[in-house]
Amino acid sequence: MTTTSNQMWGGRFAAGPDAIMEAINASIGFDKRLAAQDIAGSRAHAAMLAAQGIISDSDAEAIREGLLTVLSEIEGGRFEFSTALEDIHMNVEARLKDIIGAPAGRLHTARSRNDQVATDFRLWVRDQLDAADAGLQALICALLDQAEAGADWVMPGFTHLQTAQPVTWGHHMMAYVEMFGRDLSRMRDARARMNECPLGAAALAGTSFPIDRHATAAALGFDRPGANSLDAVSDRDFALEFLAAASICAMHLSRFAEELVIWSSAQFRFVTLSDRFSTGSSIMPQKKNPDAAELIRAKVGRIMGANVALMMVMKGLPLAYSKDMQEDKEQVFDAADTLMLALAAMEGMVRDMTANRDRLAAAAGSGFSTATDLADWLVRVLGLPFRDAHHVTGSLVALAEGKGCDLPDLSLADMQSVHAGITEDVFGVLGVENSVNSRMSYGGTAPAQVRAQIARWKERMA
């Protein structure tokens, strides 16, 4: 192949890298996604250089206009990216030189590609945190609508996927509101901590030019500049925190998706998913497959994998910058894309799905779901120790199983055959409606408690 002198390395290397080195060294194939952030950082840097008298106002203006032209070309699909120029930074700078000539060479004064890429990547991740914030808010609002509509609809609550106690549809929806609310908090917490600007840290030691790092930080929406130049160029905690928060969020999405897969099955029929988020079978005409939920359930692996991959890249690196860190982006890009798609799909499913109230109510009363209410009544009314009440209730469940009926279907005589002190009043606690209405402890499933939590969250989301 034809070799040319490499502009970035100057005279250090007489010949350019061969095809293999070019392929392993280049990152433009993926870091071109940082174009908008790269140009924003360069514009802020040029403005600061001019304000500090490091470059002339005319050069700064030419750089500003030239960068806007480059951005327009990229956004319009007219920009030709070059693998030979390695990365987005050099591709932009080379095109800027084509447009404005010599002033382009002054843009890189008092900075390095090390602080430049750290700034670009931090800006990009910050945008993803904001996008995740918006996606989570939309999902939470969809869940609140479902919870409000069914605040008093009874359904079975499960442990071990076995019927445990009756709960309400609203209570179940609000459980996911709490889970995704913690995800929202983690995204916001990560954003607050990562909002420091690396620009001006230069290669690793800062610069002798009289730059104003507070000005560039403010121009780019950061709270402050990074306080240590070594850390500023080598830190990727912000990306790891995003991936960690995204992994937990994806796990929550997967758990909910699993429930939707189960609930929409012919055996459960708790919910009906809309045609927009389901598919048919190529061979079985009766099928309606919850494909969107299944794909959300699967995508958690990609996001968690990205978290592990970046952790492995970073775990053995000495300060400050190493080329290993070029491998910090692709997995973050993929994880962010995957998370945003999963959030949007889940919000759509939640907004479109219909809870089958009659089916929920029928299932709520099966499987001896009010056994705990019976045990509590024995303690509260007859004064039995709970362990004794537990034993009596177990015997009554066994009796009902033997008769092929549920607890409310036993006669008073049946119950008194197990414990003579049981009275007619016991039937008042055995209905599922009575059961859920009695759970008035804070955070309980009683409709009044559910509505109180909905109101709290609506105020928080306003």
Side-chain angles (χ1 to χ4, degrees), residues 196-208:
E196 296 184 347
C197 185
L199 199 56
L204 75 163
T207 178
S208 59

Side-chain angles (χ1 to χ4, degrees), residues 106-443:
R106 297 187 174 90
L107 173 59
H108 210 54
T109 307
R111 76 174 184 187
S112 162
R113 280 195 297 172
N114 292 357
D115 62 336
Q116 189 178 359
V117 69
T119 302
D120 295 356
F121 195 25
R122 199 173 280 252
L123 287 169
W124 193 90
V125 171
R126 190 177 69 184
D127 289 343
Q128 305 315 300
L129 287 164
D130 289 342
D133 188 304
L136 282 163
Q137 287 191 66
L139 176 54
I140 288 169
C141 288
L143 287 164
L144 287 172
D145 288 344
Q146 284 282 354
E148 191 166 36
D152 57 358
W153 299 357
V154 292
M155 67 174 290
F158 300 95
T159 63
H160 309 277
L161 204 56
Q162 305 294 313
T163 299
Q165 294 176 259
V167 296
T168 57
W169 173 259
H171 193 55
H172 204 113
M173 294 298 101
M174 290 304 294
Y176 282 104
V177 168
E178 293 293 332
M179 291 162 71
F180 292 121
R182 291 192 295 274
D183 293 323
L184 181 61
S185 176
R186 274 184 282 271
M187 296 295 179
R188 291 177 175 177
D189 185 53
R191 192 193 193 285
R193 186 164 29 257
M194 63 88 71
N195 207 30
E196 296 184 347
C197 185
L199 199 56
L204 75 163
T207 178
S208 59
F209 288 95
I211 61 172
D212 184 349
R213 293 191 63 208
H214 288 84
T216 48
L220 293 170
F222 289 106
D223 295 330
R224 65 193 72 83
N228 183 283
S229 59
L230 278 168
D231 179 58
V233 298
S234 60
D235 168 40
R236 294 299 183 269
D237 288 2
F238 63 91
L240 286 165
E241 282 201 63
F242 168 66
L243 291 176
S247 295
I248 297 172
C249 181
M251 177 268 293
H252 290 156
L253 288 168
S254 181
R255 293 184 70 181
F256 194 15
E258 170 73 359
E259 294 209 304
L260 294 180
V261 170
I262 293 170
W263 289 353
S264 63
S265 68
Q267 290 71 29
F268 273 73
R269 293 183 285 114
F270 284 3
V271 300
T272 301
L273 300 178
S274 76
D275 291 346
R276 294 200 309 157
F277 294 97
S278 306
T279 65
S281 166
S282 63
I283 190 172
M284 294 168 284
Q286 83 281 9
K287 293 286 293 300
K288 184 176 181 181
N289 300 323
D291 282 7
E294 291 171 351
L295 288 166
I296 289 171
R297 187 175 59 185
K299 287 183 182 297
V300 64
R302 292 173 66 159
I303 296 172
M304 288 186 174
N307 189 22
V308 173
L310 183 55
M311 193 74 77
M312 293 303 100
V313 168
M314 298 302 300
K315 72 173 183 64
L317 299 186
L319 297 179
Y321 183 85
S322 298
K323 193 69 171 181
D324 310 50
M325 293 167 70
Q326 184 169 288
E327 293 295 308
D328 61 357
K329 299 173 192 67
E330 285 183 279
Q331 55 264 31
V332 179
F333 292 161
D334 181 72
D337 292 344
T338 301
L339 179 65
M340 303 316 161
L341 180 59
L343 283 170
M346 184 60 81
E347 183 213 346
M349 279 194 295
V350 171
R351 289 205 178 278
D352 284 4
M353 74 180 178
T354 302
N356 300 326
R357 184 177 182 181
D358 291 343
R359 178 62 183 165
L360 290 170
S366 66
F368 309 105
S369 65
T370 56
T372 304
D373 298 276
L374 173 56
D376 288 347
W377 184 88
L378 293 169
V379 171
R380 188 171 59 251
V381 176
L382 301 188
L384 270 65
F386 183 80
R387 286 300 169 198
D388 292 347
H390 188 283
H391 177 74
V392 169
T393 302
S395 298
L396 288 168
V397 167
L399 179 62
E401 279 185 320
K403 289 178 172 289
C405 67
D406 209 339
L407 285 172
D409 301 319
L410 291 173
S411 68
L412 180 60
D414 288 333
M415 292 196 177
Q416 289 177 338
S417 71
V418 174
H419 192 284
I422 296 176
T423 68
E424 191 77 30
D425 291 344
V426 73
F427 292 99
V429 303
L430 293 182
V432 292
E433 299 284 351
N434 292 331
S435 175
V436 296
N437 285 323
S438 72
R439 308 293 173 182
M440 280 294 293
S441 56
Y442 181 82

